[in-house]
Amino acid sequence: MGEMEESYILMAVSDFYAVNANYRTRLNLFTRDSKDDVAWCALDLMNNEKVHAIIGPQSSAQAKFVANLGEKAHVPILSFSATSPLLTTNHNPFFIQTTQDNSAQVKAIAALIQAYGWREVISIYEDTDYGIDLILYLIDAFQEVDVRFPYRSVISLSLKDSDILEELKKLKAMQTRIFLVHMTASLGSKLFLHVKNSGMMSEGYAWITTQGLSNWSVTIDSKIMDSMQGAYDTIWALAMAVEKANIEHSSFWKQNSGETKVDHAAIGVSEIGPRLLNKIASTRFQGLSGYFDLIKGYEVRVCLRIQVWVRMRDSAIFEKVGCKCGQTKRIIGYWNPKKGLSKEIDDICEIAYSISKNKLKAPIWPGDPINQPKKLTIGVQVRDAFNEFIKVEWCPRSDKDKPKISGFSIDVFLAMLDIIPFPLPHEFVLYVNESRQSAGTYDELILQIKLKVIF
């Protein structure tokens, strides 16, 4: 991944100065292979190379530490892949996210869940800052649409396969079959392997994954391409800012005392850093993957095109993609924070939509059914007596018309649907023969459940 990013960065530098040959400034790149020790690399670049900006690191956990160093040294830190919503300029004034943070997707996820009438969702997330940060935002978004988490499954990175299987066994026994998964690719790939082997990737379940995991779940090629476009645009933004800040190749560092080359206490302070930071924040241009525009230290235009259930598109429009295991995907609609859901991208730009699943195309449900999970086929016994409890009225015009079914028992069932915390798709099936007479006794009707004629 790092090698691919470096190739795009070098390509971006070459392309930028080919187009802007008249620029007086040039970026001088120093690359480091962190080998998971980003702290050492950041200190080395600041102390020994006297860099004026750092691009990276990849993860949010790494970014938090490097952002702290950047603040101490007044060195802007730009990341095109760290997505934690807590990495804001309020807490990290010298850190800039050149990608949309995770919190941007929570409204779209909530709208999708509300559209299908799901009132309860089980969240499954990893026990890290990356996992916990987004869940806090999701809780607030779900409360606004009256959706709750009856259970939250927290998966530790140190869990063994047997522990994950035991947790899935617990989830399988629960009533709620709608799951929202938020975790990194390494843990997510392990989880979904066990999900499939546990029989939970079949009809009757719905799985929603957040952008980070779904980005990795489609193909490695799309994952690399999306991330590379963010690396490319970040270089162009930095090169423009350097020219505007009029930074020349000379020392702009105040030195502190320190005995070692990478001593934390020996970090100097970049005098040019604050000016460069302001120029980066005000840089706007049409980039490789969209319009680059930073507000309050993060990119409001989506830099990376992510293939997920809730997928980003420019102008904060999210695509919803129903995915099954494998390479198959289907765009089922679009979401805009001001205009709601729509089947077509053109509609979302002109017409305000109410939230409704009728505004979405049919997704690919687990097991490939055409209807959403938990549809029940309910057998109805027909009797001439006791019409107050069950009454069947046939339409005289056509044998194909569905009969009207009413009565006290039906009313009680429909009233129950209004109070349970989850939707229950269903259809009534009359237990009758070709003459529209009862096909048997109640005991025989119940036998149809065992035979899976009704369920």
Side-chain angles (χ1 to χ4, degrees):
M1 188 67 177
E3 291 177 355
M4 290 294 294
E5 288 172 349
E6 184 180 13
S7 68
Y8 259 65
I9 288 173
L10 293 174
M11 186 188 304
V13 172
S14 176
D15 291 350
F16 182 84
Y17 291 114
V19 175
N20 301 284
N22 62 323
Y23 270 37
R24 295 173 294 104
T25 58
R26 292 292 186 274
L27 293 182
N28 187 20
L29 302 181
F30 300 88
T31 61
R32 294 290 187 274
D33 183 357
S34 67
K35 300 186 185 299
D36 294 326
D37 192 352
V38 295
W40 185 92
C41 285
L43 290 169
D44 178 40
L45 290 169
M46 292 176 186
N47 285 337
N48 300 325
E49 304 295 353
K50 302 296 187 293
V51 296
H52 299 298
I54 291 178
I55 295 178
Q58 291 182 348
S59 73
S60 297
Q62 295 170 338
K64 287 182 179 181
F65 186 81
V66 177
N68 184 49
L69 295 177
E71 181 180 0
K72 293 180 182 298
H74 289 182
V75 174
I77 310 295
L78 296 87
S79 177
F80 51 84
S81 56
T83 57
S84 170
L86 299 183
L87 289 170
T88 63
T89 52
N90 293 334
H91 300 93
N92 307 279
F94 278 82
F95 181 80
I96 295 178
Q97 286 175 297
T98 56
T99 185
Q100 197 86 333
D101 70 54
N102 276 327
S103 66
Q105 62 182 309
V106 298
K107 295 286 186 180
I109 295 175
L112 175 67
I113 291 171
Q114 185 184 28
Y116 281 96
W118 297 326
R119 299 172 190 170
E120 288 188 346
V121 177
I122 291 178
S123 60
I124 308 175
Y125 58 96
E126 66 177 51
D127 190 16
T128 63
D129 289 344
Y130 172 81
I132 296 172
D133 289 349
L134 183 67
I135 295 300
L136 298 177
Y137 284 85
L138 279 170
I139 292 174
D140 292 339
F142 280 17
Q143 286 178 344
E144 293 179 6
V145 295
D146 197 25
V147 175
R148 70 186 188 94
F149 290 126
Y151 180 76
R152 285 184 276 171
S153 176
V154 185
I155 307 296
S156 171
L157 298 179
S158 61
L159 282 185
K160 299 178 181 178
D161 288 349
S162 59
D163 297 325
I164 296 178
L165 286 171
E166 189 64 29
E167 181 66 10
L168 289 176
K169 183 179 178 181
K170 183 191 301 183
L171 297 178
K172 195 173 183 179
M174 294 182 179
Q175 193 174 43
T176 301
R177 297 294 180 92
I178 314 299
F179 301 100
L180 172 64
V181 182
H182 176 62
M183 55 184 58
T184 53
S186 57
L187 182 58
S189 59
K190 180 191 296 187
L191 172 73
F192 275 103
L193 178 62
H194 293 308
V195 166
K196 184 177 181 181
N197 293 336
S198 299
M200 299 175 69
M201 194 58 74
S202 58
E203 185 173 353
Y205 294 88
W207 292 90
I208 305 171
T209 59
T210 56
Q211 64 180 33
L213 178 58
S214 296
N215 183 31
W216 288 73
S217 67
V218 182
T219 63
I220 187 70
D221 293 335
S222 65
K223 178 260 301 186
I224 291 177
M225 180 59 67
D226 291 338
S227 182
M228 294 315 104
Q229 290 174 344
Y232 190 98
D233 287 352
T234 299
I235 283 291
W236 277 56
L238 180 58
M240 290 179 183
V242 167
E243 179 76 5
K244 294 176 183 177
N246 194 27
I247 298 177
E248 299 178 355
H249 183 67
S250 57
S251 176
F252 290 90
W253 281 74
K254 295 179 181 178
Q255 295 298 320
N256 289 334
S257 59
E259 296 181 357
T260 65
K261 291 185 177 181
V262 293
D263 185 4
H264 187 284
I267 298 179
V269 177
S270 172
E271 293 181 335
I272 201 67
R275 177 153 46 116
L276 177 58
L277 181 68
N278 290 332
K279 297 300 181 182
I280 296 172
S282 62
T283 297
R284 295 172 177 82
F285 65 99
Q286 185 64 38
L288 185 65
S289 57
Y291 188 69
F292 190 98
D293 184 9
L294 294 171
I295 296 179
K296 296 182 179 180
Y298 61 89
E299 190 176 8
V300 296
R301 185 273 314 165
V302 177
C303 183
L304 309 183
R305 297 194 299 265
I306 310 299
Q307 294 176 328
V308 290
W309 259 96
V310 183
R311 168 178 172 171
M312 294 184 179
R313 201 172 174 90
D314 57 5
S315 300
I317 294 175
F318 291 72
E319 289 181 326
K320 295 172 176 54
V321 182
C323 294
K324 70 173 185 178
C325 290
Q327 302 301 323
T328 303
K329 68 182 189 323
R330 178 184 301 158
I331 297 174
I332 65 173
Y334 302 88
W335 177 87
N336 180 284
K338 293 183 179 180
K339 298 184 178 181
L341 298 175
S342 172
K343 294 179 182 179
E344 304 297 337
I345 186 68
D346 294 337
D347 294 339
I348 208 71
C349 301
E350 300 177 1
I351 305 173
Y353 282 92
S354 61
I355 296 179
S356 168
K357 70 176 182 180
N358 295 325
K359 302 301 182 183
L360 300 175
K361 298 175 184 177
I364 303 171
W365 299 107
D368 285 333
I370 61 173
N371 297 307
Q372 62 172 315
K374 297 282 287 184
K375 183 174 182 178
L376 299 183
T377 303
I378 303 171
V380 177
Q381 180 67 286
V382 178
R383 285 287 185 265
D384 293 333
F386 306 111
N387 286 336
E388 295 84 357
F389 290 92
I390 293 290
K391 183 177 182 180
V392 178
E393 297 176 271
W394 298 92
C395 180
R397 290 176 298 177
S398 172
D399 292 339
K400 296 181 179 180
D401 288 344
K402 292 184 177 180
K404 179 182 178 182
I405 304 175
S406 60
F408 179 75
S409 298
I410 300 298
D411 292 341
V412 171
F413 176 79
L414 296 178
M416 178 271 296
L417 294 182
D418 292 335
I419 62 174
I420 61 174
F422 53 89
L424 199 61
H426 64 279
E427 64 175 340
F428 296 113
V429 177
L430 295 180
Y431 187 50
V432 295
N433 55 29
E434 294 181 356
S435 301
R436 296 182 175 178
Q437 301 299 315
S438 174
T441 66
Y442 275 106
D443 289 342
E444 291 171 327
L445 173 60
I446 293 174
L447 179 62
Q448 304 306 304
I449 299 176
K450 182 178 181 180
L451 298 177
K452 297 187 182 300
V453 176
I454 58 176
F455 54 89

